[in-house]
Amino acid sequence: MLNQRALAYLGEVIRRGSLRKAAAYLDIDASAVSRQLKGLEECLGVAVLERHGNGVRATQAGRLLVEHYHAQRTAEEAVLSQLMALQGLERGEVRIAVGEGFIADLISAPLQSFMAAFPGIELEVLMAGVNEAISLVKDSEVDLALLYAPPVDPLLHPHVETRQPLDLIVPPEHPLLALGRPVTLADLTTWPLGLMDNCFGMRQMVNLVAQQERVHLQARLRTNSVAVLKNFVRSGIGVTFMPELTVMEEIRQGDIRVLPMAHQALNGARAQIVSRGGRELTVAAQACVDHLRRGMRFFNADSPRLLDAQGVALKAT
């Protein structure tokens, strides 16, 4: 039988990139980690790590073992949660990675009502950009991730998906409002532009379209904070890109206006709730998915602008 402690240590070494960093994280002596991994290699007759630069990385065998360990842990958690459900117990834990743009939607009524409906379920919410959130799901560090405009990945299983275009947000009296047509990237080259960092789905979509359109966008402000970009626009300094639902409160207050973009890729952006493909959710995690699907505006329907357009089209027919 595989040594579970050794597999856990191996997973941390791979994640941290060195024995020393893994040992510091685990709060144990590095020699103890080394002994466990050496014993694992001797037992199996294969190397699980190889030196790389100043650290180590997994061999193919090491990656296979860690993947098996994570799958085994996830399956065990799912079975235990089902057993608790059969006994009528409402206990469990759900770990969620969330982009900042979803936070206002999450922490209002949906989070409050979930915690009231399931008082025995503990929630852990981690802030993460799309790249980090995907890695957390793949590494089984979280059960679920709320993603905006994620890349296609066969290792992710989407439970919920809605259409949430990436729009341009501008101050209330901005000259771009007088265009009378969808905005192109070329229209933005003369205005101060704020952009999220490259690790966020919003920025990655803009980069992709800019490359396709051969438009150079010079960001006057780069940040990892949605709140900073909102204030950048609200103060009248410049413009940026965000889904409509992220700025609904500012729209209602008249502080921000939204303009659709002319690019299909930006209009086709999706919001998703995902988990690691091939791994069964715990009862608690599935309950959380169902609750967020019903309670979060990002996940119970497409964006308000698209719904309004559908309503107009239906009336016209």
Side-chain angles (χ1 to χ4, degrees), residues 277-288:
R279 295 184 181 172
E280 187 176 1
L281 290 179
T282 64
V283 173
Q286 184 60 61
C288 187

Side-chain angles (χ1 to χ4, degrees), residues 191-269:
W191 304 105
L193 179 65
L195 292 173
M196 294 293 286
D197 289 339
N198 284 318
C199 61
F200 292 86
M202 289 186 284
R203 177 64 181 273
Q204 291 171 17
M205 290 203 71
V206 172
N207 287 348
L208 176 64
V209 173
Q211 185 177 19
Q212 292 173 346
E213 299 292 321
R214 298 184 180 276
V215 175
H216 175 67
L217 293 177
Q218 182 65 42
R220 294 290 303 278
L221 171 67
R222 295 186 301 274
T223 180
N224 64 354
S225 169
V226 169
V228 167
L229 282 186
K230 284 185 184 182
N231 287 323
F232 175 74
V233 175
R234 189 162 46 192
S235 65
I237 299 173
V239 302
T240 192
F241 301 94
M242 277 188 199
E244 181 182 11
L245 284 174
T246 302
V247 290
M248 283 301 291
E249 185 59 32
E250 290 80 5
I251 293 172
R252 277 195 288 266
Q253 293 174 355
D255 296 331
I256 279 175
R257 295 282 298 276
V258 173
L259 287 170
M261 296 297 297
H263 305 278
Q264 184 55 42
L266 300 181
N267 284 306

Side-chain angles (χ1 to χ4, degrees), residues 144-164:
L144 305 169
L146 277 54
L147 305 178
Y148 182 72
V152 176
D153 192 317
L155 293 181
L156 300 180
H157 174 70
H159 297 272
V160 186
E161 180 178 273
T162 59
R163 296 183 298 162
Q164 306 293 341

Side-chain angles (χ1 to χ4, degrees), residues 5 9 19-20 22-33 36:
R5 178 178 295 179
Y9 289 177
L19 282 168
R20 180 178 54 80
Y25 176 80
L26 295 166
D27 196 24
I28 58 176
D29 194 272
S31 62
V33 177
Q36 288 287 343

Side-chain angles (χ1 to χ4, degrees), residues 7 35 66 72 85 91 114 128 147 173 210 233 236 238 261-262 282-283:
L7 293 180
R35 283 195 301 272
V66 170
Q72 190 176 44
R91 293 187 291 113
F114 180 81
L147 305 178
E173 305 298 329
V233 175
M261 296 297 297
T282 64
V283 173

Side-chain angles (χ1 to χ4, degrees), residues 43-260:
C43 176
L44 298 175
V46 294
V48 297
L49 293 170
E50 59 186 9
R51 293 199 174 278
H52 174 67
N54 295 324
V56 294
R57 64 184 177 189
T59 63
Q60 185 175 357
R63 289 192 297 271
L64 182 63
L65 287 167
V66 170
E67 177 68 22
H68 166 75
Y69 173 70
H70 286 318
Q72 190 176 44
R73 281 185 58 198
T74 302
E76 182 177 312
E77 289 172 359
V79 170
L80 290 174
S81 73
Q82 290 168 13
L83 289 173
M84 287 190 292
L86 289 173
Q87 298 173 50
L89 301 177
E90 295 181 347
R91 293 187 291 113
E93 179 185 18
V94 184
R95 300 158 298 174
I96 312 171
V98 182
E100 187 187 355
F102 294 114
I103 288 296
D105 193 12
L106 174 67
I107 64 173
S108 56
L111 190 63
Q112 181 179 359
S113 59
F114 180 81
M115 296 180 77
F118 301 96
I121 296 179
E122 297 178 359
L123 291 176
E124 180 179 0
V125 178
L126 303 176
M127 296 282 290
V130 67
N131 292 353
E132 183 184 3
I134 289 173
S135 295
L136 289 169
V137 171
K138 289 181 177 180
D139 292 341
S140 299
E141 292 294 309
V142 298
D143 305 294
L144 305 169
L146 277 54
L147 305 178
Y148 182 72
V152 176
D153 192 317
L155 293 181
L156 300 180
H157 174 70
H159 297 272
V160 186
E161 180 178 273
T162 59
R163 296 183 298 162
Q164 306 293 341
L166 186 59
D167 295 323
L168 186 73
I169 66 169
V170 301
E173 305 298 329
H174 199 278
L176 286 171
L177 292 165
L179 280 179
R181 59 168 172 77
V183 182
T184 68
L185 292 188
D187 294 325
L188 306 182
T189 55
T190 58
W191 304 105
L193 179 65
L195 292 173
M196 294 293 286
D197 289 339
N198 284 318
C199 61
F200 292 86
M202 289 186 284
R203 177 64 181 273
Q204 291 171 17
M205 290 203 71
V206 172
N207 287 348
L208 176 64
V209 173
Q211 185 177 19
Q212 292 173 346
E213 299 292 321
R214 298 184 180 276
V215 175
H216 175 67
L217 293 177
Q218 182 65 42
R220 294 290 303 278
L221 171 67
R222 295 186 301 274
T223 180
N224 64 354
S225 169
V226 169
V228 167
L229 282 186
K230 284 185 184 182
N231 287 323
F232 175 74
V233 175
R234 189 162 46 192
S235 65
I237 299 173
V239 302
T240 192
F241 301 94
M242 277 188 199
E244 181 182 11
L245 284 174
T246 302
V247 290
M248 283 301 291
E249 185 59 32
E250 290 80 5
I251 293 172
R252 277 195 288 266
Q253 293 174 355
D255 296 331
I256 279 175
R257 295 282 298 276
V258 173
L259 287 170

